[in-house]
Amino acid sequence: NFSVVTSYIYGIASWGTGPVEIKNNIVSGLKNNVGQSYGASSLSGIYRANNQNGNPIFADSAIITGNTIFNLYNSRNTNSTQSDVGYTVGIITRGGLYNRVEKNTVHSVSVTEGSVTGIAFYDGQGGIPSILQKNRIYNIVNNDNSVSSCCDDDFYNGVINGIAVTGEGSGLDIINNQVSITNNNISNPVSIRGIYEGYYMNIPPPLQKQRVLYNSIYIGGTASQNGGSGCFVTLSQKVKEIYNNLFYNDRIGGTKGHYGIRMLGSGVSATLSGTRSNYNLYAIPDTAAFATYYPLGKIGLGQWKSLTGLDDSTYVSQIINVPSNSLFVNKAAGNLNINSDNEVCWSVNNKALPY
C-alpha cells in the first residue's frame, strides 16, 4: 500500500529498448492522494513504453500476461479533454513492434474526475499485429459529476473505458475479453464505453487490420444528465472485422442514450468503409436505439443494416427478455461466462459461428 503525493505513479514501469515480459504480478493499493493545490497526476498499474531518446519506437516486443491489477485510486486524475485513454489506467502499452496483453485481471480502479481505462493500447504502429485477449476487466469507477459545456455531448464528460485503443495502425486482435462496468451504481453523467476505438494514427494504413472477436461486454447502472454509453464506441479508428461478440447494455437514465454501438463524429461512412460485422448478439434497453449514426442520431438494427450493409445475421434483443442476472455467472465479479444452469442461456445458443 502506497499513499503519496506525486505527478506519476507506476506499479510496474518499463520503458526504453529491448523486449520485455511482465508476468504473474499483483499490483494493488496504489493511491494518489494529491491535494487540489497540486496539478493533475497520472497513475498506472503496469506501464510499458518502447521508446528511445524520449520518442516512441516500434522495434521491440512486450508480453504482459497473468497479472492482477486492483485497488488503484487517483484523487486528482487529470480533467483534460484527452478522452480517448485518460491518465489513470490499469495496463497501458505504448509503441513497440508487437504487444501481447493476455489473461490479466483489472478491477477496482477509480478516479474522481477525467478519464479512466482498464486496458489501453496506444501508438500501435509496429510491423507485427498485436493482441489483447482473455483479459477480465470490471468495477472501473469514475465519480466525476462535471458536464461538458460543448455541444450537449458527453464526449468531454468524465469517461470510463473498459478497453481503449488509439493510434493503432499495424493490426490488433481484441479477442475473448470480458468487460463489466456499472460505475459502482453511482448515478452521474459519466460516459461509459466497453470497447473504445479512438483516434487513428496520423497516416492511416490503406486497409484495416484490426479484429474484434468473441468479446463479452456488460454495461449497467444509472446515468444522469447527458451521460451516455455504448458497448462498442468508435471515433475514427477503422476496424476490419467485428464478429461473434456479446454486447449487453443494461444502463438506464440520462438523456444521451445507451446503445450497442455509438459512432462519434461525422465521418461514419469513412470509418466503416471496408468493415465486416456479423453474428453478434446485442441486448439493449430499446431495440429502436441500436446505434447512433451521424447525422441521423439513434437508429434501429434494420436502418443500421440498410445504411451500412453490416450485421445481416446479427441478433438484437431487449434486455427484459434476457435478464443479465440469469444470463451471466457473476457480472459483479466480472465473470461474464454464460450461466448454463439457467434456461436463459438458450438465448445465446447458435448466435455465433466458428470464425
Side-chain angles (χ1 to χ4, degrees):
N1 268 293
F2 295 96
S3 181
V4 300
V5 176
T6 184
S7 295
Y8 303 94
I9 297 178
Y10 306 109
I12 297 173
S14 171
W15 52 82
T17 60
V20 171
E21 294 188 11
I22 303 173
K23 294 184 175 182
N24 303 325
N25 300 282
I26 296 175
V27 178
S28 178
L30 301 181
K31 181 179 181 180
N32 191 352
N33 205 28
V34 67
Q36 293 294 320
S37 59
Y38 291 84
S41 302
S42 65
L43 186 152
S44 302
I46 294 176
Y47 181 96
R48 161 59 181 167
N50 190 200
N51 56 21
Q52 190 171 38
N53 299 322
N55 298 310
I57 61 173
F58 311 100
D60 303 298
S61 64
I63 298 173
I64 302 173
T65 181
N67 303 283
T68 301
I69 315 295
F70 67 103
N71 288 347
L72 309 185
Y73 174 73
N74 194 346
S75 67
R76 197 70 176 95
N77 188 49
T78 179
N79 58 2
S80 163
T81 55
Q82 183 192 344
S83 298
D84 48 356
V85 172
Y87 291 90
T88 298
V89 185
I91 299 173
I92 182 169
T93 65
R94 303 190 67 165
L97 175 68
Y98 164 80
N99 296 291
R100 188 169 87 230
V101 181
E102 65 179 2
K103 300 179 181 178
N104 301 285
T105 299
V106 177
H107 70 92
S108 305
V109 180
S110 61
V111 299
T112 55
E113 59 185 329
S115 301
V116 58
T117 297
I119 296 178
F121 181 88
Y122 197 91
D123 281 345
Q125 302 175 38
I128 301 175
S130 294
I131 187 166
L132 306 179
Q133 68 175 353
K134 298 182 180 179
N135 300 288
R136 178 168 287 168
I137 300 165
Y138 65 98
N139 196 32
I140 310 299
V141 180
N142 193 331
N143 288 281
D144 198 336
N145 284 302
S146 63
V147 176
S148 169
S149 60
C150 173
C151 320
D152 190 35
D153 199 334
D154 63 337
F155 183 71
Y156 296 110
N157 292 6
V159 170
I160 300 175
N161 301 307
I163 294 172
V165 179
T166 188
E168 186 278 309
S170 60
L172 173 66
D173 283 343
I174 302 175
I175 300 179
N176 200 20
N177 300 282
Q178 295 187 357
V179 176
S180 181
I181 299 174
T182 65
N183 199 24
N184 205 27
N185 295 311
I186 299 168
S187 180
N188 63 2
V190 159
S191 177
I192 297 179
R193 304 100 171 249
I195 297 175
Y196 177 63
E197 303 281 351
Y199 291 94
Y200 236 143
M201 57 186 285
N202 292 332
I203 304 175
L207 296 173
Q208 299 97 311
K209 301 175 182 178
Q210 188 182 148
R211 302 187 302 172
V212 179
L213 311 172
Y214 296 111
N215 300 283
S216 295
I217 308 296
Y218 174 81
I219 297 174
T222 303
S224 67
Q225 300 183 74
N226 69 336
S229 66
C231 294
F232 183 83
V233 180
T234 182
L235 179 61
S236 61
Q237 179 77 53
K238 294 186 175 185
V239 175
K240 181 180 179 181
E241 294 173 341
I242 307 169
Y243 273 74
N244 297 340
N245 300 283
L246 171 54
F247 292 142
Y248 195 119
N249 197 334
D250 202 9
R251 196 160 174 82
I252 60 173
T255 60
K256 205 64 182 178
H258 307 288
Y259 301 91
I261 297 176
R262 289 188 74 184
M263 307 294 297
L264 302 176
S266 58
V268 178
S269 296
T271 300
L272 292 176
S273 176
T275 295
R276 298 170 61 232
S277 177
N278 218 347
Y279 302 107
N280 302 292
L281 173 61
Y282 292 85
I284 52 180
D286 180 5
T287 56
F290 167 75
T292 58
Y293 192 102
Y294 182 87
L296 302 177
K298 70 177 183 179
I299 58 175
L301 177 62
Q303 195 171 8
W304 168 263
K305 291 179 179 180
S306 177
L307 288 167
T308 65
L310 305 176
D311 291 294
D312 180 64
S313 297
T314 279
Y315 299 83
V316 175
S317 176
Q318 284 188 295
I319 56 176
I320 193 173
N321 298 321
V322 192
S324 59
N325 287 328
S326 302
L327 180 63
F328 300 117
V329 170
N330 188 347
K331 64 185 183 183
N335 188 342
L336 300 184
N337 293 337
I338 302 303
N339 180 10
S340 60
D341 294 329
N342 193 291
E343 63 182 10
V344 174
C345 71
W346 286 99
S347 62
V348 302
N349 188 51
N350 287 330
K351 297 300 189 294
L353 289 181
Y355 184 83

